[in-house]
Amino acid sequence: MKAIRVREFGDANVMKMEDVSDLTPSAGQVVVQVKAAGINPVDTYIRSGVYPSKPELPYTPGMDAAGIVASVGEGVSRLKPGDRVYVAGSLSGTYAEQALCTESQVHPLADGVSFEQGAGVYVPYATAYRALWMLARMRPGETLLVHGASGGVGIAAIQFAKSSGVRVIGTAGTEKGKQLAAEQGADHVVDHNQDGYLDEIRALTDGKGPNIILEMLSNVNLQNDLEILAQRGRIVVIGCRGDVQINPRLIMGKEAQINGMVLMLSTEQELSVAHCALVAGLESGVLRPVVGQTFPLADAAQAHEAVLKPGAYGKIVLQTD
Ligand code: NAP
């Protein structure tokens, strides 16, 4: 089978397509024939060698994928060959024609959801779920600011919040991104590249501020978030690409909470709870990943360059055929 392999950390061009052996499941394992693999920003941090936990070289990148179960090992009871599934992490990497997974990493993909959409489920939706329910403890009637609503996590957050009676203000940096966030259900969308957008958010909340902020670029926005947050508001720091200076007095005066989160630090039990919500949301149609761009598997390098460019529009996905 074909797989993208990384033999040294570096720029996107260190990813090369290679022929590798087909995979065979051991007991408790599943081999998925990958139809589409999702690109996440974290894949680029890992590939470049700057991420705190590094895989052993050589490795195949990717945590997200969707496809069909090809074979199952002894003792696997939940899945059988032919099942449509999405993959939530794997033992072998997902930028490949096959992925070797534990049974708990493989989940049913509802019939109405394409493989490309399925490749955009795990990291974005489990992150949004964990941020909104497990950390911010979102409640119906509250106002949520999705600071970075045009990308994978932002769209997932809009869909979860709107299906739960929460008012959503989204931000994006392009007209196309703003339109996408509005189509996905955001009640108001503002442009985080325009001067004065924070005043717009204040005005939209009658000066009170959002109860919850999901923050995709905390190194740019954390101080501003503290300034506009409501009393007893909660910020979840999801994305960070550098340092920021903040005034802790704002945390005190608002009795605010700043929660950091890393999806990969979730426990097995937390993941299992999140997947129950994801599978149900895909089945009911409340959750629908948006795929903005697709690339052939061989063009993983271009996909990595694209995911870091401004102007997000849903997910970027690799197709295996
Ligand atoms: P993505 O699809 O590339 O989307 C990036 C989002 O950030 C877009 O909405 C983009 O908007 C927005 N953005 C750009 N400049 C911004 C600014 N100045 N203020 C606010 N938002 C801004 O990425 P993603 O998958 O949604 O992930 C978002 C971030 O969370 C990434 O940094 C990723 O690494 C991180 N993440 C962390 C975890 C975790 O476990 N902590 C899990 C998943 C993702 P425009 O392009 O429209 O400007």
Side-chain angles (χ1 to χ4, degrees), residues 1 15 21 25 33 36 52 62 81 92 114 128 162 165 174 192 203 212-213 216 219 223 240 288 302:
M1 66 133 171
M15 292 187 292
S21 306
Q33 185 197 344
S92 60
S114 70
K162 285 311 298 175
T174 62
H192 49 232
I212 302 172
I213 301 180
M216 306 304 161
N219 51 302
Q223 172 64 18
C240 180
R288 277 292 175 269
Q302 282 100 303

Side-chain angles (χ1 to χ4, degrees), residues 43-280:
D43 303 344
T44 72
Y45 318 151
I46 294 170
R47 183 218 70 230
S48 66
V50 300
Y51 202 66
S53 59
K54 293 182 190 51
E56 216 172 283
L57 293 168
Y59 78 99
T60 294
M63 296 173 199
D64 283 355
I68 295 171
V69 172
S71 52
V72 300
E74 206 186 305
V76 170
S77 57
R78 265 192 323 115
L79 300 154
K80 59 180 187 320
D83 286 353
R84 298 176 86 252
V85 292
Y86 73 88
V87 163
S90 72
L91 303 168
S92 60
T94 60
Y95 295 8
E97 290 176 334
Q98 296 173 359
L100 180 67
C101 305
T102 63
E103 186 177 10
S104 65
Q105 290 174 320
V106 183
H107 303 274
L109 185 66
D111 283 340
V113 183
S114 70
F115 292 123
E116 286 75 14
Q117 289 176 307
V121 170
Y122 167 51
V123 171
Y125 282 83
T127 297
Y129 181 86
R130 183 164 163 79
L132 290 171
W133 271 286
M134 294 181 170
L135 295 167
R137 300 189 184 279
M138 174 173 79
R139 292 186 290 269
E142 291 193 307
T143 298
L144 163 71
L145 172 65
V146 183
H147 215 164
S150 48
V153 178
I155 287 168
I158 296 172
Q159 294 175 355
F160 273 127
K162 285 311 298 175
S163 63
S164 305
V166 168
R167 182 180 177 226
V168 177
I169 302 172
T171 80
T174 62
E175 271 312 308
K176 216 176 143 201
K178 281 175 67 180
Q179 199 182 329
L180 176 63
E183 284 163 10
Q184 294 308 307
D187 298 281
H188 308 276
V189 189
V190 297
D191 185 336
H192 49 232
N193 293 327
Q194 292 288 319
D195 289 344
Y197 83 97
L198 297 168
D199 292 331
E200 278 183 70
I201 295 169
R202 281 193 188 93
L204 287 166
T205 54
D206 295 328
K208 294 192 185 84
N211 307 101
I212 302 172
I213 301 180
L214 294 199
E215 183 48 63
M216 306 304 161
L217 201 58
S218 54
N219 51 302
V220 172
N221 296 320
L222 192 55
Q223 172 64 18
N224 291 336
D225 290 343
L226 286 169
E227 285 175 14
I228 59 169
L229 188 70
Q231 283 296 124
R232 302 202 170 181
R234 293 90 76 202
I235 298 170
V236 186
V237 173
I238 296 176
C240 180
R241 294 183 180 166
D243 295 340
V244 62
Q245 189 171 338
I246 59 163
N247 181 351
R249 185 154 290 281
L250 289 165
I251 309 175
M252 295 159 63
K254 292 189 174 182
E255 295 195 320
Q257 287 176 28
I258 304 178
N259 300 274
M261 74 146 282
V262 173
L263 178 64
M264 284 182 264
L265 298 180
S266 307
T267 63
E268 274 288 317
Q269 200 203 350
E270 287 167 341
L271 284 178
S272 148
V273 168
H275 284 298
C276 288
L278 269 48
V279 169

